[in-house]
Amino acid sequence: MTVKLHTLSNGFRIVTEQVPGLESATLGIWLTAGGRHELPAQNGIAHFLEHMAFKGTTTRSALQIAEAIEDVGGYINAYTSREMTAYYARILAGDVELALDVISDILLHPVFDPAEIEVERGVILQEIGQALDTPDDVVFDWLQEAAYPDQPLGRTILGPTERVRAFSRDDLAGFVGQHYGPGQMILSAAGAVDHDALVRAAEDRFGQLPALPRTGTAAARFRGGERRQVKDLEQAHFALALEGPDYRDPEIHTAQVFATALGGGMSSRLFQEIREKRGLCYTIFAQAGAFSDSGLLTIYAGTSGEDIADLAALTIDEVRRATEDMSESELARARTQMKAGLLMGLESSNARAERMARMVAIWGRVPPVAEAVQKIDAVGRAKVKAFGEQLTGTPRAALALYGPVEAAPDLSGLLGRLVA
């Protein structure tokens, strides 16, 4: 299995990995344009565009787009994140160029039919309504907003209802014209693919696109704060974030090992102490997430209103204790979990294509898996202790609470307990 990377003269990048033994492939275009690239008045437009991509081009109707892929047994989809938007398909080996033709068509020749815009506007408003009815979705949006107030990274991906109701055809076309240039696009394909054939096909479809000027984004600043809302729900939802490293920081692997040992599985400290020993929750976990210039170590749990104060206090105690006495056996288990998750994930062509696109966007290359494994293995107790001391020494944090949370401590109280 060999990763190959080629860049066209206009900045369009093609990265492939041929995986022997596969009869299928995943192919897609990942754009370095997502929610954080929106202006305040555009909040939600990147996600709106993702929906509109499948609503018709100058040569295909919405139905014809779906039929082109599904007639050959394939699958096509898209997603929007805060830093990227992806359009991808999974197909059999003989249909790779067809998939590229369809995806290039929806990106390069959208019609943005006014009637279809109104139909999809309704769909997205329903999606927003569904998210607002899902408390654990709400609390994570609030946590992001509390961590990055008045910043692009703090805004929701779906956008507020009033913005989505107002977007026009010109707004959609304007965002495409500003952010959908060849230098923002990465064609990534894994599985039964031919690199040279894809380069030629990409040159035909994207080679004449004029380069767009790079548009900078405001640097992220983790500021922290608290957002809570008392509501009559069955569960009190608790989400805490401490500032962590960005994904280019060498300490990102240390943060991930720390988070895994703290709350990454059934053997983790949070799960064992708070769920198994005390029965205070059903769900509790920790994870380390990162952006290009900031990061979060996040802890989430759902509990009862009567138990929220105890759960919050015990969670903070476990974070502090993990810094003080994390054992080598816990770290070995966490490292093994991370490596296994990475390697098992790469059994999917989807995961391989997505990983390559993200690595090219971050590093301009695809680091070998062995390099990632080596960095995980290098995380020992001294690194974890130093990271934990930095995390808890002068912490900046964000807290989001939703449901019967009257008894929950405030953020300043939790931070006081953390550094005590």
Side-chain angles (χ1 to χ4, degrees):
M1 291 178 283
T2 303
V3 173
K4 295 182 179 181
L5 176 64
H6 181 82
T7 303
L8 302 183
S9 59
N10 60 2
F12 185 92
R13 289 163 287 182
I14 304 110
V15 59
T16 69
E17 183 177 23
Q18 187 177 47
V19 183
L22 290 190
E23 297 296 330
S24 65
T26 296
L27 175 147
I29 291 181
W30 276 257
L31 286 121
T32 54
R36 77 172 300 183
H37 299 88
E38 301 164 344
L39 298 173
Q42 296 174 316
N43 186 201
I45 202 165
H47 174 256
F48 204 131
L49 270 170
E50 172 216 315
H51 276 246
M52 288 305 302
F54 300 99
K55 302 302 288 186
T57 72
T58 55
T59 59
R60 290 181 173 98
S61 68
L63 178 59
Q64 287 171 330
I65 291 169
E67 288 177 339
I69 298 297
E70 294 184 359
D71 279 355
V72 297
Y75 169 82
I76 189 168
N77 208 343
Y79 66 83
T80 307
S81 70
R82 286 185 165 84
E83 295 194 306
M84 299 191 86
T85 304
Y87 304 86
Y88 63 96
R90 188 171 184 194
I91 60 296
L92 294 176
D95 301 310
V96 167
E97 189 161 346
L98 168 68
L100 179 60
D101 186 65
V102 172
I103 290 174
S104 63
D105 193 22
I106 66 178
L107 289 176
L108 300 179
H109 309 118
V111 293
F112 299 140
D113 179 82
E116 294 288 1
I117 289 174
E118 294 310 312
V119 170
E120 210 58 29
R121 193 191 312 277
V123 171
I124 295 169
L125 292 172
Q126 293 294 332
E127 185 178 358
I128 293 171
Q130 179 177 302
L132 293 174
D133 282 343
T134 309
D136 48 349
D137 284 353
V138 171
V139 80
F140 275 103
D141 277 343
W142 288 356
L143 186 69
Q144 193 79 15
E145 182 182 11
Y148 303 102
D150 303 315
Q151 298 174 62
L153 271 185
R155 297 193 286 264
T156 70
I157 291 170
L158 298 182
T161 297
E162 62 272 18
R163 296 289 186 205
V164 172
R165 289 189 188 279
F167 290 142
S168 68
R169 186 184 188 281
D170 288 345
D171 293 327
L172 296 169
F175 192 85
V176 168
Q178 187 175 12
H179 295 287
Y180 277 44
Q184 288 78 25
M185 296 180 180
I186 301 166
L187 168 60
S188 182
V193 296
D194 181 315
H195 178 80
D196 293 337
L198 270 181
V199 169
R200 291 191 296 271
E203 179 74 60
D204 288 343
R205 290 164 175 81
F206 296 95
Q208 302 307 310
L209 279 182
L212 295 180
R214 291 283 182 176
T215 55
T217 57
R221 294 288 182 267
F222 186 108
R223 301 195 186 280
E226 181 177 329
R227 171 81 182 269
R228 74 167 69 198
Q229 181 174 322
V230 175
K231 189 170 183 179
D232 184 18
L233 301 174
E234 289 295 322
Q235 287 256 289
H237 297 267
F238 169 92
L240 175 73
L242 296 164
E243 185 178 19
D246 64 63
Y247 52 54
R248 292 190 181 94
D249 190 318
E251 288 305 304
I252 184 60
H253 296 92
T254 306
Q256 291 170 339
V257 170
F258 183 93
T260 301
L262 178 65
M266 293 174 63
S267 62
S268 68
R269 290 190 170 209
L270 289 175
F271 194 96
Q272 284 296 311
E273 183 65 28
I274 296 176
R275 172 178 157 149
E276 295 295 276
K277 291 182 181 179
R278 300 178 186 260
L280 295 179
C281 64
Y282 176 72
T283 299
I284 187 165
F285 62 83
Q287 60 188 17
F291 304 104
S292 58
D293 53 359
S294 188
L296 303 169
L297 191 145
T298 302
I299 300 168
Y300 167 81
T303 188
S304 66
E306 293 79 13
D307 291 327
I308 183 67
D310 287 343
L311 179 141
L314 285 166
T315 296
I316 291 297
D317 291 347
E318 287 303 312
V319 174
R320 189 179 67 245
R321 194 167 69 83
T323 297
E324 297 166 353
D325 64 1
M326 187 78 76
S327 70
E328 183 52 47
S329 63
E330 287 177 284
L331 294 179
R333 186 185 306 119
R335 291 192 297 264
T336 300
Q337 284 179 263
M338 287 182 59
K339 291 183 291 184
L342 171 63
L343 296 171
M344 289 178 184
L346 294 180
E347 293 180 359
S348 156
S349 63
N350 288 43
R352 285 181 178 271
E354 181 171 8
R355 176 180 180 268
M356 289 191 301
R358 290 185 179 279
M359 292 298 98
V360 170
I362 296 167
W363 299 110
R365 68 185 185 96
V366 181
V369 173
E371 183 178 320
V373 168
Q374 183 180 36
K375 289 179 178 179
I376 293 168
D377 280 334
V379 178
R381 193 177 186 289
K383 281 190 174 184
V384 167
K385 184 173 176 58
F387 172 78
E389 289 173 347
Q390 181 181 6
L391 192 73
T392 60
T394 54
R396 285 191 287 182
L399 177 66
L401 297 158
Y402 188 35
V405 294
E406 296 93 334
D410 61 21
L411 181 59
S412 62
L414 291 177
L415 291 181
R417 190 181 186 96
L418 183 62
V419 300

